[in-house]
Amino acid sequence: MQHDKALVISDDDMLLFQRFFKICIGVYLPLSKKSLLCNRLSSRVQALGLTSMKEYYELLIDSQSTEERQIVFDLMTTNETSFFREENHFVYLRKKILPTFSKNAQIKVWSAASSTGEEAYSLAMLLDDVVDSEHWQVLGSDISQRVLVFAQRALYPMNKCNKINAQYLNKYCLCGTGEYEGYFLIHQHIRQHVHFAKINLLDVEHEVKQTFDIIFLRNVTIYFDEITKAQVIRSVLGKLKPGGYLVVGPSETLHGMYEGLEVCAPSIYRRL
């Protein structure tokens, strides 16, 4: 059996891909990521009958290649996530943020890089548990259509549930049987409050038509250069209501970078 052979790429061609990804989705790929690019795309390039990364680049920039561009975004975006990742954020949300809302408040939360949906559903479980009313909703978004399809299924292998406490597992998760043995499904009661959409963070102003009380933008800007990071943060803050909260990743900081933001806790900010 013949195995796919990883392709190689020149520095000049890598610069073409670097510019392509930065313009399209904001992701910055330094020259040091040449091997990563080739490893992730080689099988696709060869499946299309192409012989070089340069040929694939020329296909991507063709105006008719919108479907292929979505495929390459799916292949190149990192989708590391888990339920209740960075537990301290959820503790702060439960103890400090959610109690500030009035009983009948309409609470809107945006998981702005929701990947396969674990973050969005974690937020939904917490909201359902803490908020008195049914007047809340969660939007989960990502640039990758592939992970959004997975998120909408709301079906996860059992090894994904280790950070979901027993109360939430019993209340919000259904254990699979038969062909779904070894999986769990998020309960319909939660799913009806969670919606997913494909959103490019470089075009938030046009693609997001509502404002939010809480936005999770975690572990995203680490993939952007400083100019793109500033652009994305400003756009996202434009969708955050005054008094609303922005949560970023633990390795990301906005302190002193944007006026009108109050530091509430590490990686948690409030818009004044």
Side-chain angles (χ1 to χ4, degrees):
M1 180 182 294
Q2 184 176 359
H3 296 281
D4 289 341
K5 182 180 179 181
L7 300 176
V8 295
I9 185 171
S10 68
D11 286 353
D12 287 344
D13 290 346
M14 181 64 184
L15 290 173
L16 295 175
F17 277 94
Q18 183 185 91
R19 182 173 180 272
F20 170 79
F21 284 110
K22 186 175 187 301
I23 290 173
C24 292
I25 58 174
V27 171
Y28 174 67
L29 290 177
L31 290 177
S32 60
K33 298 292 186 181
K34 288 193 333 184
S35 294
L36 172 70
L37 183 78
C38 290
N39 289 339
R40 292 195 180 182
L41 300 188
S42 285
S43 293
R44 182 61 186 167
V45 171
Q46 293 170 346
L48 291 170
L50 305 177
T51 59
S52 70
M53 295 292 286
K54 180 66 175 295
E55 282 187 77
Y56 189 51
Y57 169 78
E58 290 170 350
L59 171 64
L60 289 171
I61 62 172
D62 186 291
S63 61
Q64 303 301 313
S65 294
T66 53
E67 290 186 10
E68 190 61 36
R69 282 195 287 271
Q70 183 59 62
I71 291 171
V72 80
F73 297 155
D74 288 347
L75 290 171
M76 286 303 300
T77 47
T78 300
N79 306 122
E80 179 184 351
T81 187
S82 62
F83 286 96
F84 294 96
R85 187 181 183 187
E86 311 301 341
E87 184 182 4
N88 59 304
H89 289 159
F90 293 94
V91 171
Y92 192 91
L93 186 60
R94 169 188 286 277
K95 293 184 175 181
K96 300 294 186 180
I97 298 179
L98 293 181
T100 66
F101 290 93
S102 62
K103 184 173 182 179
N104 293 314
Q106 303 274 345
I107 304 176
K108 293 184 178 182
V109 183
W110 180 18
S111 170
S114 62
S115 185
T116 44
E118 288 90 331
E119 180 177 273
Y121 291 125
S122 298
L123 290 164
M125 291 179 201
L126 184 58
L127 284 161
D128 186 78
D129 184 36
V130 176
V131 177
D132 286 338
S133 74
E134 292 279 309
H135 303 305
W136 59 266
Q137 58 183 274
V138 175
L139 171 66
S141 71
D142 205 278
I143 190 66
S144 170
Q145 190 65 48
R146 175 179 55 84
V147 297
L148 290 174
V149 169
F150 194 99
Q152 288 167 329
R153 290 180 64 202
L155 183 69
Y156 298 93
M158 289 301 297
N159 61 12
K160 285 276 192 175
C161 74
N162 58 333
K163 289 187 178 180
I164 306 175
N165 67 44
Q167 176 193 347
Y168 284 8
L169 270 176
N170 291 331
K171 188 175 182 180
Y172 302 124
C173 305
L174 302 172
C175 187
T177 59
E179 64 178 304
Y180 296 109
E181 185 175 356
Y183 290 83
F184 66 95
L185 180 71
I186 304 299
H187 198 286
Q188 173 63 25
H189 172 68
I190 289 294
R191 301 203 313 271
Q192 68 183 355
H193 291 280
V194 183
H195 305 279
F196 292 95
K198 180 176 173 289
I199 293 173
N200 188 335
L201 291 175
L202 295 186
D203 201 21
V204 165
E205 183 177 349
H206 298 102
E207 295 188 7
V208 181
K209 304 301 183 183
Q210 57 185 310
T211 55
F212 300 88
D213 301 284
I214 302 163
I215 299 176
F216 272 49
L217 183 70
R218 304 193 300 174
N219 308 305
V220 181
T221 63
I222 54 175
Y223 299 105
F224 301 152
D225 61 20
E226 288 302 313
I227 293 174
T228 306
K229 174 182 175 180
Q231 174 190 342
V232 168
I233 293 294
R234 279 195 298 269
S235 297
V236 169
L237 287 175
K239 301 300 179 179
L240 184 65
K241 296 177 183 177
Y245 294 84
L246 175 66
V247 182
V248 298
S251 63
E252 302 165 301
T253 180
L254 309 180
H255 184 54
M257 296 175 63
Y258 301 91
E259 294 182 3
L261 279 183
E262 172 189 28
V263 181
C264 299
S267 61
I268 300 176
Y269 301 84
R270 179 175 177 267
R271 182 182 174 190
L272 300 176

